[in-house]
Amino acid sequence: MGDKPTIAISHLGCEKNRIDTEHMLGLLVEAGYSVDTNEELAEYVIVNTCSFIEAAREESVRTLVELAEAEKKIVITGCMAQHFQEQLLEELPEAVAVVGTGDYHKIVDVIQKVEQGHRVKFVSEQPTYIADETTPRYRTTTEGVAYLRVAEGCDYRCAFCIIPHLRGNQRSRSIESVVTEAQQLASQGVKEIILISQITTNYGTDIYGKPKLAELLRALGKVDVPWIRMHYAYPTGLTPDVIAVIKQNNNVLPYLDLPLQHSHPEILRAMNRPWQGRVNDAIIERIKDELPEAVLRTTFIVGFPGESDEHFEHLLQFVKRHEFDHVGVFTFSPEEGTPAYNLPNQISQEIMDERRNAVMELQQPISLKKNQQEIGKVVDVLIEQEHPETGELAGRSGRFAPEVDGQVFVKGNARLGAIVPVTIQNADAYDLYGQIANS
């Protein structure tokens, strides 16, 4: 084993990328490679890149350039490798391999070929691979949390989005495969499983002929894990069936991540969103009526080409009216290869930034009010961090998803990875503060 090179992985981008990273780590460890978090000690650095928007690409390029300057042998994987394969090989002589989003499971083969002196390119034009419960995996999240991918790729063609081009069409795993992996994670002590895909509410359509999210959640409800959280749930897919399952299963959190992107029908039509502008108030109100305890998170894009002051005002009123628990706002990023790239009436970055700030300013007191409603309650908190000096603990209640929402700062003693009852004593716009109950 001693003669095998040491490898580090630099992970950039979303949690879907994170799962790819975890599978590459698992495969390399299984094949006997030393994997080190310290890039300085590694001969090879695998950079799992993001190419979703311009800012993400810039971060990926910065990382690649720094490693090239440090004279590392670089293996470029992920969305940017899929997107700019030839350019990367041309412009970065230090890149010994590029590996596409549907080819990361060949990582051991890639390293072996590179070791033999080859410069390698494995990029399937149309990614079709999806890992399952039999693929080795080395988790990189805190011990209590794991992401579980139920499907990969996307069949929608939103005008601003390059993801289908980078990750292919939707391909779901079977219910049995997902449940088996959930059971494996539960047996490892995982307390929160986060279901992800590009559109979780479309889960199963490709293999079963219709969406099977309700059936999947029902099956996962029997897994011995306290929390199951869903990301990327299109509101039109939150059928009465799905909502009924959330109500019936104590371990399925009533946390709904709704990637709405806008409120105005004209902008939604221009975006080529799947329901063509039918995200009306009725859908949101129905969800709130049927699931009054639901925590609603959403994301919006401001500055889509042609967004007028009137369109933007519509969005502000929508945010005001529905009082979402959490809101994320992105400015439009023109992506080459998408229909929105060449649309007329592009909007200046300055106006886009102003609009983003206006939505965030409007949302802050709403988030504060929602958090303040937690004061006095005893809520379950998954403990994830301990401050090395003060010993103060930090974790999350069911209201908060990792990395995108707030945290709960906790006084008292608890084990990392445990779920404990916490009395909430204070709140600000982002975070909650409390004391472990009975301590």
Side-chain angles (χ1 to χ4, degrees), residues 261-425:
Q261 311 308 7
H262 212 280
S263 63
H264 200 288
E266 287 172 16
I267 296 296
L268 286 163
R269 273 196 292 277
M271 287 178 166
N272 198 30
R273 295 295 278 164
W275 49 80
Q276 295 288 358
R278 285 184 293 116
V279 172
N280 51 27
D281 297 311
I283 288 181
I284 309 292
E285 291 308 332
R286 174 179 68 80
I287 292 166
K288 284 181 171 178
D289 286 346
E290 292 177 8
L291 209 58
E293 70 277 28
V295 175
L296 299 184
R297 144 171 276 284
T298 190
T299 47
F300 296 114
I301 294 172
V302 294
F304 190 82
E307 183 189 54
S308 66
D309 290 344
E310 182 199 351
H311 293 140
F312 179 63
E313 183 57 35
H314 188 279
L315 179 62
L316 287 176
Q317 293 306 320
F318 186 80
V319 171
K320 200 173 187 174
R321 192 161 56 248
H322 290 302
E323 298 200 326
F324 297 97
D325 295 82
H326 312 290
V327 171
V329 187
F330 296 91
T331 58
F332 171 73
S333 172
E335 296 304 309
E336 208 170 338
T338 65
Y341 183 70
N342 294 317
L343 282 178
N345 306 317
Q346 300 272 340
I347 289 164
S348 75
Q349 190 64 46
E350 189 183 0
I351 290 174
M352 290 201 284
D353 289 343
E354 279 171 18
R355 288 180 178 174
R356 179 186 57 201
N357 294 342
V359 177
M360 294 312 286
E361 270 172 42
L362 175 64
Q363 177 60 28
Q364 270 204 311
I366 298 170
S367 292
L368 176 61
K369 183 175 88 172
K370 294 277 187 179
N371 276 350
Q372 284 174 334
Q373 287 166 359
E374 297 295 288
I375 295 174
K377 291 182 186 174
V378 176
V379 302
D380 284 341
V381 174
L382 172 58
I383 302 297
E384 295 188 286
Q385 293 167 305
E386 182 176 1
H387 193 286
E389 274 103 54
T390 65
E392 188 182 38
L393 302 170
R396 290 174 299 103
S397 67
R399 286 182 55 74
F400 300 135
E403 296 183 21
V404 289
D405 300 328
Q407 287 183 296
V408 185
F409 294 95
V410 178
K411 291 191 167 65
N413 295 314
R415 212 168 33 78
L416 289 179
I419 292 179
V420 295
V422 172
T423 306
I424 302 301
Q425 298 165 325

Side-chain angles (χ1 to χ4, degrees), residues 60-77:
S60 294
V61 168
R62 238 186 347 263
T63 304
L64 292 169
V65 168
E66 281 168 15
L67 290 166
E69 285 170 355
E71 297 181 350
K72 294 293 171 190
K73 294 173 184 166
I74 307 166
V75 175
I76 307 172
T77 66

